[in-house]
């Protein structure tokens, strides 16, 4: 949907401009030079303002915002299936039964059966590290709850810093567009003796800078930063689902009840129904 949104933005802005008799040649001719000024200055300011890890994370999350849709209902069904199977194994065989899976999750046949979960490295570490602690020390459900809350907060704190950094870049683009426009006007002042046609073209190029600064800020970069924030919250809800199951397990609830706690923590639009999860867990039992 990110790319669909970009197409809509470009089609509405530049399509209407061209349909109204505007010359796209002027825009294209000036855009490269103006974007080097605006984009280069914005990126330089971005590097000045942030540590390199935040710079890299901001770029990575921006690309992800355009290509990822976050966990959907099938992803949650898969997650609940995996948790049910893992908790069943723990109930039947005790700590020894799950230890080999949580110690080396990348080699676990159980986890490999659920690729959506395995591709989420935050979720894998979140689950496995918590189970290692709970199996090696006596913790109350309240301790586990606090521990997982702190983990979720820590995981997303850095990502939110990257998202705020990209938002700051969006805020700077209109001002840098004005800088590019002023430089264009300065160039125009040196062409006053060359006739109105040359002056008009030079002023048009200068105004393209202002337009690009505002357009990129509010049409591309700020929406991307907003999508980044939505993705971070979406990933947080995925971890919260795992947390609900782990806390219920620590209370001594049976696997099916742990899964129900996890299911109820999912937002209604993404939440699988009780019947869907009942069917999914029965399929696991038959396979076993």
């Amino acid at each position: 949907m990110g790319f669909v949104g970009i197409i809509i933005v470009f089609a509405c802005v530049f399509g209407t401009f061209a349909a109204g008799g505007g010359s796209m040649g002027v825009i294209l001719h000036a855009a490269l030079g103006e974007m080097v000024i605006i984009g280069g200055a914005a990126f330089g300011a971005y590097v000045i303002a942030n540590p390199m890890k935040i710079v890299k994370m901001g770029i990575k999350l921006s690309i992800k915002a355009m290509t990822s849709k976050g966990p959907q209902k099938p992803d949650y069904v898969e997650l609940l299936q995996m948790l049910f199977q893992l908790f069943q194994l723990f109930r039947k065989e005790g700590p020894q039964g799950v230890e080999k899976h949580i110690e080396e999750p990348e080699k676990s046949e159980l986890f490999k059966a659920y690729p959506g979960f395995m591709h989420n490295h935050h979720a894998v570490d979140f689950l496995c590290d918590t189970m290692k602690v709970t199996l090696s020390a006596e913790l109350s459900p309240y301790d586990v709850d606090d521990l997982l809350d702190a983990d979720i907060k820590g995981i997303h704190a850095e990502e939110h810093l990257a998202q705020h950094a990209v938002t700051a870049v969006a805020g700077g683009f209109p001002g840098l567009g004005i800088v590019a426009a002023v430089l264009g006007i300065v160039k125009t002042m040196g062409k006053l003796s060359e006739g109105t046609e040359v002056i008009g073209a030079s002023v048009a190029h200068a105004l393209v800078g202002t337009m690009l600064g505002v357009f990129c800020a509010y049409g591309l970069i700020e929406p991307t930063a907003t999508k980044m924030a939505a993705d971070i919250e979406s990933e947080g809800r995925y971890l919260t689902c795992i947390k609900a199951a782990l806390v219920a397990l620590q209370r001594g609830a049976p696997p099916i009840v742990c899964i129900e706690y996890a299911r109820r923590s999912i937002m209604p639009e993404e939440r699988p129904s009780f019947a869907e999860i009942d069917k999914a867990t029965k399929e696991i039992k038959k396979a076993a």
Side-chain angles (χ1 to χ4, degrees):
M1 293 303 296
F3 288 111
V4 172
I6 290 174
I7 292 171
I8 293 171
V9 169
F10 273 87
C12 291
V13 174
F14 296 109
T16 303
F17 172 75
S23 173
M24 285 301 298
V26 175
I27 301 292
L28 295 174
H29 185 262
L32 179 60
E34 299 297 317
M35 281 307 300
V36 170
I37 296 173
I38 301 169
F43 184 74
Y46 177 60
V47 172
I48 292 170
N50 301 284
M52 187 51 63
K53 63 179 181 179
I54 298 298
V55 171
K56 293 179 179 179
M57 185 175 294
I59 295 171
K60 178 182 176 181
L61 293 179
S62 297
I63 296 172
K64 182 180 177 182
M66 292 295 101
T67 58
S68 172
K69 58 184 178 180
Q72 303 296 306
K73 182 185 285 189
D75 300 307
Y76 281 110
V77 171
E78 181 191 76
L79 174 64
L80 296 179
Q81 279 183 309
M82 184 276 298
L83 290 172
F84 179 78
Q85 189 172 0
L86 183 66
F87 293 173
Q88 280 281 75
L89 187 64
F90 174 69
R91 189 179 186 189
K92 291 179 180 178
E93 301 183 14
Q96 294 79 11
V98 299
E99 188 174 4
K100 62 181 179 181
H101 299 289
I102 62 176
E103 289 293 339
E104 295 181 301
E106 67 281 355
K107 297 180 180 179
S108 167
E109 294 301 323
L110 189 155
F111 289 149
K112 286 180 181 178
Y114 303 97
F117 170 75
M118 283 298 293
H119 290 158
N120 189 329
H121 67 278
H122 283 327
V124 173
D125 293 341
F126 185 77
L127 173 64
C128 294
D129 290 351
T130 304
M131 292 201 72
K132 290 174 190 176
V133 173
T134 56
L135 294 179
S136 61
E138 291 187 9
L139 296 176
S140 72
Y142 304 104
D143 293 330
V144 175
D145 198 329
D146 291 341
L147 178 67
L148 296 179
D149 279 339
D151 197 1
I152 292 173
K153 184 177 179 181
I155 287 171
H156 291 145
E158 201 168 56
E159 293 178 340
H160 277 299
L161 287 176
Q163 184 260 327
H164 292 316
V166 174
T167 301
V169 171
F173 249 74
L176 294 172
I178 294 173
V179 170
V182 171
L183 292 175
I185 295 299
V186 171
K187 287 171 60 179
T188 302
M189 292 297 100
K191 301 179 180 180
L192 291 179
S193 60
E194 298 183 21
T196 56
E197 185 174 339
V198 173
I199 294 172
S202 185
V203 171
H205 286 190
L207 293 176
V208 167
T210 303
M211 182 277 296
L212 287 176
V214 177
F215 172 77
C216 290
Y218 300 118
L220 298 175
I221 302 175
E222 191 169 295
T224 299
T226 302
K227 177 60 165 54
M228 287 169 62
D231 287 344
I232 293 169
E233 294 302 318
S234 180
E235 292 293 336
R237 292 195 295 272
Y238 190 83
L239 296 180
T240 300
C241 180
I242 299 175
K243 170 197 161 184
L246 288 171
V247 172
L249 181 69
Q250 195 66 14
R251 292 193 184 113
I256 193 64
V257 176
C258 295
I259 299 311
E260 184 61 14
Y261 270 100
R263 188 184 74 85
R264 297 292 181 93
S265 71
I266 303 169
M267 291 184 68
E269 186 176 342
E270 300 154 355
R271 181 190 301 168
S273 67
F274 181 88
E276 288 174 317
I277 296 303
D278 185 52
K279 179 181 177 182
T281 53
K282 286 179 180 177
E283 288 174 354
I284 294 174
K285 291 177 182 178
K286 290 178 180 178

